[in-house]
Amino acid sequence: MAHTIQDPRQQALLLSLRQRMAEARACGNAEARRALFREAVYLGIQPNLLESEQATAAQEHTSGR
């Protein structure tokens, strides 16, 4: 089941984290990924929300959706 964030500010923060996570993954920057997980926790965002969206996006990209 997907988790959703209702607060517009939290949604914007999550979107920013996801975009930066995608960039860090593309570059293979493990330190940046760790920093983004720490930032998510600091902001009160569950780190698994970063991972779950990345996995979904990767699956959609490879399946041609």
Side-chain angles (χ1 to χ4, degrees), residues 2-65:
H3 299 308
T4 60
I5 295 178
Q6 300 299 324
D7 176 33
R9 180 180 177 273
Q10 287 291 95
Q11 287 178 342
L13 290 170
L14 180 57
L15 179 60
S16 173
L17 286 165
R18 285 176 173 168
Q19 289 172 339
R20 291 182 287 145
M21 181 64 78
E23 292 171 6
R25 283 185 187 283
C27 295
N29 190 337
E31 182 57 36
R33 289 175 49 210
R34 284 189 292 274
L36 288 165
F37 281 121
R38 287 190 300 269
E39 183 178 346
V41 170
Y42 176 80
L43 294 170
I45 296 172
Q46 296 177 356
N48 66 322
L49 293 178
L50 300 178
E51 285 296 323
S52 62
E53 181 65 22
Q54 294 301 318
T56 301
Q59 288 172 352
E60 288 176 358
H61 178 70
T62 57
S63 67
R65 287 188 200 165

